Amino acid sequence: MNPHAEETFELAVSEDFAGERIDKYVAESVEDGVSRTQVQDWIKSGAVLVNGRSVKANYKLAAGDVVTAQPPEPQEAAIEPEAIPLDIVYEDEDVIVLNKPRGMVVHPAFGHTSGTVVNALLHHCRDLSGINGVLRPGIVHRIDKDTTGLLMAAKNDRAHASLAEQLKEHTVVRRYVALAHGNLPHDHGTIEAPIGRDPHDRKMFTVTERGGKHSVTHFSVLERLGDYTLLELRLETGRTHQIRVHMKYIGHPLAGDPVYGRAKSIPLNGQALHAAVLGFEHPRTGERLLFETRLPADLEDVLHRLRTR
């Protein structure tokens, strides 16, 4: 659960968590971590419901309970500009496209207010869109902390609205390069499977019919490397952890993935996933822009080792 998203989150309680206090359950369900005291305030304000009703913080959950949560947006936050180097691929008065390194979080969250893309952007341009609030200025979409590659941000609200609409209409080109375990049986394919929160581990996502959202990933084999396959993947939808979940679902998890992957994997600090291509219509001029970036050095090194072993 991302406590700053605009949507309401819904979690179905499995038998594994029956008898657990609602405040503990919600606090541990938030991806970025919040205190139980903070969650108790949410519960008191009516932002957390069980089966559509308000409860007290000491409410004990039962299997089958449905927990919905709409954490309030923070009223203010001390997000400081930081002089963090940025690999800028493109920039004008409306948009900026970055090549994000591995290990860098896109936007601040509870308990993590520094060292993010947002901190760096605030120092670099100071004129970001305010649509996503104080913690996510300019952020139109995000990629995971340990995923590398292209990310776009909006410098004003007009640009933000245009880019967000393009994402909604699936007209943004997003192509990724990934290294997956195993030898895929097909050169091309489409994974169409709904993604929702894992009922057995609230911080993970999985393919599920219950509460799952329509999710589509297209893939093409770039190179076969023995017990690994190098792929290009194209997102039709943009669910949290979509590529990582879909690849695990078909039995070929991403190499290096600490959450959805295999214990024994490649020497890489995070999943072998790179946002290689990003294309969109410029929000002011209407021109189609397409950007491409090379694989990061650590992934190139892994591929070299696999090719020469």
Short mmCIF file of all heavy atoms in Angstrom, two decimals, residues 55-114:
data_model
loop_
_atom_site.label_atom_id
_atom_site.label_comp_id
_atom_site.label_asym_id
_atom_site.label_seq_id
_atom_site.Cartn_x
_atom_site.Cartn_y
_atom_site.Cartn_z
N VAL A 55 -14.14 1.24 12.74
CA VAL A 55 -13.82 0.36 13.87
C VAL A 55 -12.82 1.09 14.76
O VAL A 55 -12.30 2.15 14.42
CB VAL A 55 -13.20 -0.97 13.38
CG1 VAL A 55 -14.21 -1.78 12.58
CG2 VAL A 55 -11.92 -0.73 12.57
N LYS A 56 -12.55 0.50 15.92
CA LYS A 56 -11.53 1.04 16.80
C LYS A 56 -10.18 0.42 16.46
O LYS A 56 -10.11 -0.62 15.81
CB LYS A 56 -11.90 0.76 18.26
CG LYS A 56 -13.15 1.51 18.71
CD LYS A 56 -13.41 1.28 20.19
CE LYS A 56 -14.63 2.10 20.66
NZ LYS A 56 -14.89 1.90 22.12
N ALA A 57 -9.13 1.06 16.95
CA ALA A 57 -7.79 0.61 16.59
C ALA A 57 -7.46 -0.78 17.12
O ALA A 57 -6.60 -1.47 16.58
CB ALA A 57 -6.75 1.61 17.12
N ASN A 58 -8.18 -1.21 18.15
CA ASN A 58 -7.91 -2.54 18.71
C ASN A 58 -8.82 -3.63 18.14
O ASN A 58 -8.85 -4.76 18.64
CB ASN A 58 -8.02 -2.51 20.24
CG ASN A 58 -9.44 -2.17 20.70
OD1 ASN A 58 -10.32 -1.87 19.90
ND2 ASN A 58 -9.66 -2.22 22.01
N TYR A 59 -9.54 -3.30 17.08
CA TYR A 59 -10.41 -4.28 16.43
C TYR A 59 -9.60 -5.47 15.96
O TYR A 59 -8.55 -5.32 15.34
CB TYR A 59 -11.15 -3.64 15.25
CG TYR A 59 -11.96 -4.63 14.42
CD1 TYR A 59 -13.25 -4.98 14.80
CD2 TYR A 59 -11.42 -5.20 13.27
CE1 TYR A 59 -13.98 -5.89 14.04
CE2 TYR A 59 -12.15 -6.10 12.51
CZ TYR A 59 -13.43 -6.45 12.90
OH TYR A 59 -14.17 -7.35 12.15
N LYS A 60 -10.06 -6.68 16.26
CA LYS A 60 -9.39 -7.90 15.84
C LYS A 60 -10.00 -8.39 14.53
O LYS A 60 -11.21 -8.60 14.44
CB LYS A 60 -9.52 -8.98 16.92
CG LYS A 60 -8.88 -8.62 18.26
CD LYS A 60 -7.38 -8.52 18.15
CE LYS A 60 -6.74 -8.23 19.50
NZ LYS A 60 -6.94 -9.29 20.48
N LEU A 61 -9.17 -8.55 13.55
CA LEU A 61 -9.62 -8.94 12.21
C LEU A 61 -10.08 -10.40 12.18
O LEU A 61 -9.58 -11.25 12.91
CB LEU A 61 -8.49 -8.75 11.21
CG LEU A 61 -8.08 -7.31 10.94
CD1 LEU A 61 -6.72 -7.26 10.24
CD2 LEU A 61 -9.13 -6.59 10.10
N ALA A 62 -11.01 -10.65 11.28
CA ALA A 62 -11.49 -12.01 11.02
C ALA A 62 -11.21 -12.36 9.57
O ALA A 62 -11.16 -11.46 8.71
CB ALA A 62 -12.98 -12.12 11.31
N ALA A 63 -11.00 -13.63 9.30
CA ALA A 63 -10.77 -14.05 7.92
C ALA A 63 -11.97 -13.65 7.07
O ALA A 63 -13.13 -13.85 7.47
CB ALA A 63 -10.57 -15.56 7.86
N GLY A 64 -11.70 -13.04 5.93
CA GLY A 64 -12.78 -12.59 5.06
C GLY A 64 -13.13 -11.13 5.22
O GLY A 64 -13.84 -10.56 4.38
N ASP A 65 -12.65 -10.50 6.29
CA ASP A 65 -12.86 -9.06 6.43
C ASP A 65 -12.23 -8.33 5.24
O ASP A 65 -11.18 -8.73 4.74
CB ASP A 65 -12.21 -8.53 7.71
CG ASP A 65 -13.07 -8.73 8.94
OD1 ASP A 65 -14.25 -9.08 8.79
OD2 ASP A 65 -12.55 -8.55 10.07
N VAL A 66 -12.87 -7.26 4.82
CA VAL A 66 -12.32 -6.42 3.75
C VAL A 66 -11.94 -5.07 4.35
O VAL A 66 -12.79 -4.34 4.85
CB VAL A 66 -13.34 -6.24 2.61
CG1 VAL A 66 -12.77 -5.29 1.55
CG2 VAL A 66 -13.67 -7.59 1.97
N VAL A 67 -10.66 -4.78 4.31
CA VAL A 67 -10.14 -3.53 4.86
C VAL A 67 -9.94 -2.54 3.71
O VAL A 67 -9.26 -2.84 2.73
CB VAL A 67 -8.80 -3.76 5.58
CG1 VAL A 67 -8.23 -2.44 6.10
CG2 VAL A 67 -8.97 -4.76 6.72
N THR A 68 -10.55 -1.38 3.83
CA THR A 68 -10.32 -0.31 2.85
C THR A 68 -9.64 0.85 3.56
O THR A 68 -9.95 1.14 4.72
CB THR A 68 -11.63 0.17 2.21
OG1 THR A 68 -12.55 0.56 3.24
CG2 THR A 68 -12.26 -0.91 1.36
N ALA A 69 -8.72 1.47 2.85
CA ALA A 69 -7.97 2.56 3.46
C ALA A 69 -7.73 3.67 2.45
O ALA A 69 -7.33 3.42 1.32
CB ALA A 69 -6.62 2.05 3.99
N GLN A 70 -7.99 4.90 2.88
CA GLN A 70 -7.70 6.08 2.09
C GLN A 70 -6.95 7.05 3.00
O GLN A 70 -7.53 7.98 3.56
CB GLN A 70 -8.98 6.72 1.56
CG GLN A 70 -8.78 8.03 0.82
CD GLN A 70 -7.95 7.86 -0.45
OE1 GLN A 70 -8.45 7.40 -1.46
NE2 GLN A 70 -6.69 8.25 -0.40
N PRO A 71 -5.64 6.81 3.19
CA PRO A 71 -4.88 7.71 4.06
C PRO A 71 -4.94 9.13 3.56
O PRO A 71 -4.85 9.38 2.35
CB PRO A 71 -3.45 7.15 3.96
CG PRO A 71 -3.64 5.72 3.54
CD PRO A 71 -4.84 5.73 2.64
N PRO A 72 -5.10 10.08 4.45
CA PRO A 72 -5.19 11.49 4.03
C PRO A 72 -3.87 11.98 3.47
O PRO A 72 -2.80 11.56 3.90
CB PRO A 72 -5.55 12.22 5.33
CG PRO A 72 -5.02 11.33 6.41
CD PRO A 72 -5.21 9.93 5.91
N GLU A 73 -3.95 12.87 2.50
CA GLU A 73 -2.74 13.49 1.96
C GLU A 73 -2.11 14.36 3.05
O GLU A 73 -2.81 15.04 3.80
CB GLU A 73 -3.08 14.36 0.74
CG GLU A 73 -3.44 13.56 -0.50
CD GLU A 73 -2.24 12.87 -1.10
OE1 GLU A 73 -1.11 13.36 -0.92
OE2 GLU A 73 -2.44 11.83 -1.74
N PRO A 74 -0.79 14.35 3.16
CA PRO A 74 -0.14 15.20 4.16
C PRO A 74 -0.38 16.68 3.86
O PRO A 74 -0.39 17.09 2.70
CB PRO A 74 1.35 14.84 4.02
CG PRO A 74 1.47 14.30 2.63
CD PRO A 74 0.17 13.61 2.34
N GLN A 75 -0.55 17.46 4.91
CA GLN A 75 -0.81 18.88 4.73
C GLN A 75 0.46 19.66 4.39
O GLN A 75 0.44 20.64 3.69
CB GLN A 75 -1.44 19.46 6.01
CG GLN A 75 -2.80 18.85 6.31
CD GLN A 75 -3.78 19.06 5.19
OE1 GLN A 75 -4.00 20.18 4.74
NE2 GLN A 75 -4.39 17.97 4.72
N GLU A 76 1.57 19.18 4.90
CA GLU A 76 2.83 19.83 4.61
C GLU A 76 3.96 18.83 4.80
O GLU A 76 3.81 17.83 5.47
CB GLU A 76 3.05 21.05 5.52
CG GLU A 76 3.04 20.71 7.00
CD GLU A 76 3.22 21.93 7.86
OE1 GLU A 76 3.62 22.98 7.33
OE2 GLU A 76 2.97 21.83 9.07
N ALA A 77 5.07 19.09 4.19
CA ALA A 77 6.21 18.20 4.35
C ALA A 77 7.48 18.99 4.06
O ALA A 77 7.53 19.83 3.17
CB ALA A 77 6.08 17.03 3.38
N ALA A 78 8.50 18.69 4.83
CA ALA A 78 9.77 19.38 4.66
C ALA A 78 10.63 18.60 3.67
O ALA A 78 11.57 17.91 4.06
CB ALA A 78 10.47 19.53 6.00
N ILE A 79 10.28 18.66 2.41
CA ILE A 79 11.06 17.99 1.38
C ILE A 79 12.09 18.99 0.87
O ILE A 79 11.74 19.99 0.23
CB ILE A 79 10.17 17.49 0.23
CG1 ILE A 79 9.05 16.62 0.79
CG2 ILE A 79 11.00 16.74 -0.79
CD1 ILE A 79 9.51 15.42 1.57
N GLU A 80 13.34 18.73 1.16
CA GLU A 80 14.39 19.69 0.86
C GLU A 80 15.05 19.40 -0.49
O GLU A 80 15.31 18.24 -0.83
CB GLU A 80 15.46 19.64 1.96
CG GLU A 80 14.95 20.02 3.34
CD GLU A 80 14.51 21.47 3.41
OE1 GLU A 80 15.05 22.29 2.64
OE2 GLU A 80 13.63 21.78 4.24
N PRO A 81 15.35 20.46 -1.25
CA PRO A 81 16.14 20.27 -2.47
C PRO A 81 17.53 19.75 -2.10
O PRO A 81 18.11 20.17 -1.10
CB PRO A 81 16.22 21.69 -3.06
CG PRO A 81 15.10 22.44 -2.42
CD PRO A 81 14.94 21.86 -1.04
N GLU A 82 18.04 18.82 -2.89
CA GLU A 82 19.37 18.26 -2.64
C GLU A 82 20.16 18.24 -3.94
O GLU A 82 19.64 17.90 -5.00
CB GLU A 82 19.26 16.84 -2.07
CG GLU A 82 18.60 16.77 -0.71
CD GLU A 82 18.51 15.34 -0.20
OE1 GLU A 82 19.46 14.56 -0.42
OE2 GLU A 82 17.48 15.00 0.39
N ALA A 83 21.44 18.59 -3.82
CA ALA A 83 22.32 18.65 -5.00
C ALA A 83 22.79 17.26 -5.38
O ALA A 83 23.98 16.92 -5.25
CB ALA A 83 23.50 19.56 -4.72
N ILE A 84 21.86 16.44 -5.84
CA ILE A 84 22.16 15.07 -6.27
C ILE A 84 22.29 15.08 -7.79
O ILE A 84 21.41 15.58 -8.49
CB ILE A 84 21.02 14.12 -5.85
CG1 ILE A 84 20.82 14.15 -4.33
CG2 ILE A 84 21.31 12.70 -6.33
CD1 ILE A 84 19.58 13.43 -3.87
N PRO A 85 23.38 14.55 -8.32
CA PRO A 85 23.55 14.55 -9.78
C PRO A 85 22.42 13.79 -10.47
O PRO A 85 21.96 12.75 -10.00
CB PRO A 85 24.89 13.81 -9.97
CG PRO A 85 25.60 13.96 -8.67
CD PRO A 85 24.53 13.96 -7.62
N LEU A 86 21.96 14.33 -11.60
CA LEU A 86 20.92 13.71 -12.40
C LEU A 86 21.46 13.43 -13.80
O LEU A 86 22.16 14.27 -14.37
CB LEU A 86 19.69 14.61 -12.50
CG LEU A 86 18.87 14.82 -11.24
CD1 LEU A 86 17.83 15.91 -11.47
CD2 LEU A 86 18.19 13.51 -10.82
N ASP A 87 21.11 12.27 -14.33
CA ASP A 87 21.45 11.94 -15.71
C ASP A 87 20.27 12.39 -16.57
O ASP A 87 19.29 11.67 -16.74
CB ASP A 87 21.68 10.44 -15.84
CG ASP A 87 22.13 10.02 -17.24
OD1 ASP A 87 22.21 10.89 -18.12
OD2 ASP A 87 22.35 8.81 -17.45
N ILE A 88 20.34 13.61 -17.09
CA ILE A 88 19.23 14.21 -17.83
C ILE A 88 19.33 13.84 -19.30
O ILE A 88 20.32 14.14 -19.97
CB ILE A 88 19.22 15.73 -17.64
CG1 ILE A 88 19.04 16.08 -16.15
CG2 ILE A 88 18.10 16.37 -18.48
CD1 ILE A 88 19.19 17.55 -15.85
N VAL A 89 18.30 13.20 -19.80
CA VAL A 89 18.25 12.78 -21.20
C VAL A 89 17.64 13.87 -22.07
O VAL A 89 18.04 14.09 -23.21
CB VAL A 89 17.44 11.47 -21.33
CG1 VAL A 89 17.31 11.04 -22.78
CG2 VAL A 89 18.10 10.36 -20.50
N TYR A 90 16.65 14.58 -21.50
CA TYR A 90 15.95 15.65 -22.25
C TYR A 90 15.33 16.60 -21.24
O TYR A 90 14.85 16.19 -20.18
CB TYR A 90 14.87 15.06 -23.14
CG TYR A 90 14.01 16.10 -23.83
CD1 TYR A 90 14.41 16.68 -25.03
CD2 TYR A 90 12.79 16.50 -23.28
CE1 TYR A 90 13.63 17.64 -25.65
CE2 TYR A 90 12.00 17.46 -23.90
CZ TYR A 90 12.42 18.04 -25.09
OH TYR A 90 11.66 18.99 -25.71
N GLU A 91 15.30 17.89 -21.60
CA GLU A 91 14.65 18.87 -20.73
C GLU A 91 14.24 20.09 -21.53
O GLU A 91 14.98 20.56 -22.41
CB GLU A 91 15.60 19.29 -19.60
CG GLU A 91 14.97 20.29 -18.63
CD GLU A 91 15.91 20.67 -17.50
OE1 GLU A 91 17.11 20.35 -17.58
OE2 GLU A 91 15.43 21.28 -16.54
N ASP A 92 13.04 20.60 -21.25
CA ASP A 92 12.60 21.89 -21.77
C ASP A 92 11.73 22.55 -20.72
O ASP A 92 11.76 22.14 -19.55
CB ASP A 92 11.89 21.74 -23.14
CG ASP A 92 10.61 20.91 -23.07
OD1 ASP A 92 10.01 20.80 -21.96
OD2 ASP A 92 10.19 20.37 -24.11
N GLU A 93 10.96 23.54 -21.07
CA GLU A 93 10.18 24.29 -20.07
C GLU A 93 9.00 23.50 -19.52
O GLU A 93 8.40 23.91 -18.52
CB GLU A 93 9.66 25.59 -20.69
CG GLU A 93 8.73 25.38 -21.88
CD GLU A 93 8.29 26.68 -22.51
OE1 GLU A 93 8.13 27.67 -21.76
OE2 GLU A 93 8.12 26.72 -23.74
N ASP A 94 8.66 22.37 -20.15
CA ASP A 94 7.49 21.60 -19.73
C ASP A 94 7.80 20.25 -19.11
O ASP A 94 7.12 19.82 -18.18
CB ASP A 94 6.56 21.37 -20.94
CG ASP A 94 6.02 22.66 -21.51
OD1 ASP A 94 5.33 23.38 -20.76
OD2 ASP A 94 6.30 22.96 -22.68
N VAL A 95 8.78 19.56 -19.65
CA VAL A 95 9.06 18.19 -19.20
C VAL A 95 10.56 17.98 -19.01
O VAL A 95 11.38 18.70 -19.56
CB VAL A 95 8.51 17.13 -20.19
CG1 VAL A 95 7.01 17.21 -20.29
CG2 VAL A 95 9.18 17.28 -21.54
N ILE A 96 10.87 16.96 -18.22
CA ILE A 96 12.24 16.53 -18.05
C ILE A 96 12.26 15.01 -18.05
O ILE A 96 11.37 14.38 -17.45
CB ILE A 96 12.87 17.11 -16.76
CG1 ILE A 96 14.34 16.70 -16.62
CG2 ILE A 96 12.06 16.73 -15.53
CD1 ILE A 96 15.07 17.46 -15.52
N VAL A 97 13.19 14.42 -18.77
CA VAL A 97 13.32 12.96 -18.85
C VAL A 97 14.67 12.59 -18.25
O VAL A 97 15.71 13.14 -18.63
CB VAL A 97 13.23 12.47 -20.30
CG1 VAL A 97 13.43 10.95 -20.37
CG2 VAL A 97 11.87 12.84 -20.90
N LEU A 98 14.65 11.66 -17.30
CA LEU A 98 15.85 11.26 -16.57
C LEU A 98 16.16 9.79 -16.81
O LEU A 98 15.27 8.99 -17.09
CB LEU A 98 15.65 11.46 -15.07
CG LEU A 98 15.12 12.80 -14.59
CD1 LEU A 98 14.78 12.71 -13.11
CD2 LEU A 98 16.14 13.89 -14.85
N ASN A 99 17.43 9.46 -16.65
CA ASN A 99 17.87 8.07 -16.62
C ASN A 99 18.17 7.75 -15.16
O ASN A 99 19.21 8.15 -14.63
CB ASN A 99 19.10 7.89 -17.50
CG ASN A 99 19.57 6.44 -17.55
OD1 ASN A 99 18.81 5.52 -17.30
ND2 ASN A 99 20.84 6.25 -17.88
N LYS A 100 17.25 7.06 -14.48
CA LYS A 100 17.36 6.83 -13.05
C LYS A 100 18.33 5.68 -12.74
O LYS A 100 18.24 4.62 -13.34
CB LYS A 100 15.99 6.49 -12.45
CG LYS A 100 15.99 6.44 -10.92
CD LYS A 100 14.69 5.92 -10.36
CE LYS A 100 14.61 4.42 -10.41
NZ LYS A 100 15.57 3.74 -9.47
N PRO A 101 19.23 5.88 -11.79
CA PRO A 101 20.15 4.81 -11.42
C PRO A 101 19.51 3.79 -10.48
O PRO A 101 18.47 4.07 -9.86
CB PRO A 101 21.28 5.56 -10.71
CG PRO A 101 20.59 6.73 -10.08
CD PRO A 101 19.51 7.13 -11.07
N ARG A 102 20.13 2.65 -10.38
CA ARG A 102 19.67 1.63 -9.44
C ARG A 102 19.82 2.13 -8.01
O ARG A 102 20.78 2.82 -7.66
CB ARG A 102 20.49 0.35 -9.65
CG ARG A 102 19.94 -0.87 -8.93
CD ARG A 102 20.80 -2.11 -9.13
NE ARG A 102 21.13 -2.34 -10.53
CZ ARG A 102 20.30 -2.89 -11.42
NH1 ARG A 102 19.09 -3.25 -11.04
NH2 ARG A 102 20.69 -3.09 -12.67
N GLY A 103 18.86 1.81 -7.18
CA GLY A 103 18.94 2.14 -5.76
C GLY A 103 18.37 3.49 -5.38
O GLY A 103 18.36 3.85 -4.20
N MET A 104 17.88 4.24 -6.35
CA MET A 104 17.34 5.57 -6.07
C MET A 104 15.81 5.53 -6.06
O MET A 104 15.18 5.11 -7.03
CB MET A 104 17.82 6.58 -7.11
CG MET A 104 17.54 8.03 -6.76
SD MET A 104 18.27 9.16 -8.00
CE MET A 104 18.18 10.73 -7.14
N VAL A 105 15.22 5.97 -4.96
CA VAL A 105 13.77 6.03 -4.82
C VAL A 105 13.25 7.22 -5.60
O VAL A 105 13.89 8.27 -5.65
CB VAL A 105 13.38 6.13 -3.34
CG1 VAL A 105 11.87 6.31 -3.17
CG2 VAL A 105 13.86 4.91 -2.58
N VAL A 106 12.07 7.09 -6.21
CA VAL A 106 11.54 8.17 -7.03
C VAL A 106 11.02 9.33 -6.19
O VAL A 106 11.37 10.48 -6.43
CB VAL A 106 10.44 7.66 -7.98
CG1 VAL A 106 9.73 8.83 -8.68
CG2 VAL A 106 11.04 6.72 -9.02
N HIS A 107 10.18 9.04 -5.21
CA HIS A 107 9.63 10.15 -4.41
C HIS A 107 9.68 9.83 -2.92
O HIS A 107 9.69 8.67 -2.51
CB HIS A 107 8.19 10.49 -4.83
CG HIS A 107 7.23 9.36 -4.68
ND1 HIS A 107 6.74 8.97 -3.46
CD2 HIS A 107 6.65 8.54 -5.59
CE1 HIS A 107 5.89 7.95 -3.63
NE2 HIS A 107 5.83 7.67 -4.90
N PRO A 108 9.73 10.86 -2.07
CA PRO A 108 9.80 10.65 -0.63
C PRO A 108 8.56 9.93 -0.10
O PRO A 108 7.49 9.95 -0.70
CB PRO A 108 9.87 12.08 -0.06
CG PRO A 108 10.38 12.91 -1.18
CD PRO A 108 9.79 12.29 -2.43
N ALA A 109 8.76 9.30 1.04
CA ALA A 109 7.66 8.62 1.72
C ALA A 109 7.92 8.73 3.21
O ALA A 109 8.93 9.29 3.64
CB ALA A 109 7.59 7.16 1.27
N PHE A 110 7.00 8.21 4.01
CA PHE A 110 7.18 8.27 5.46
C PHE A 110 8.52 7.67 5.84
O PHE A 110 8.86 6.56 5.45
CB PHE A 110 6.06 7.48 6.15
CG PHE A 110 4.73 8.14 6.07
CD1 PHE A 110 3.73 7.65 5.24
CD2 PHE A 110 4.45 9.26 6.83
CE1 PHE A 110 2.50 8.26 5.16
CE2 PHE A 110 3.21 9.88 6.75
CZ PHE A 110 2.24 9.37 5.92
N GLY A 111 9.30 8.42 6.61
CA GLY A 111 10.57 7.93 7.08
C GLY A 111 11.67 7.91 6.02
O GLY A 111 12.77 7.43 6.27
N HIS A 112 11.37 8.44 4.84
CA HIS A 112 12.37 8.43 3.76
C HIS A 112 12.18 9.71 2.97
O HIS A 112 11.50 9.73 1.94
CB HIS A 112 12.14 7.20 2.88
CG HIS A 112 13.30 6.93 1.94
ND1 HIS A 112 14.11 5.84 2.06
CD2 HIS A 112 13.78 7.64 0.90
CE1 HIS A 112 15.04 5.87 1.12
NE2 HIS A 112 14.84 6.96 0.40
N THR A 113 12.78 10.79 3.46
CA THR A 113 12.52 12.11 2.86
C THR A 113 13.73 12.70 2.16
O THR A 113 13.72 13.87 1.80
CB THR A 113 12.02 13.09 3.93
OG1 THR A 113 13.02 13.19 4.96
CG2 THR A 113 10.71 12.63 4.54
N SER A 114 14.78 11.91 1.96
CA SER A 114 15.96 12.45 1.30
C SER A 114 16.55 11.44 0.32
O SER A 114 16.23 10.25 0.36
CB SER A 114 17.02 12.84 2.34
OG SER A 114 17.49 11.69 3.03
#
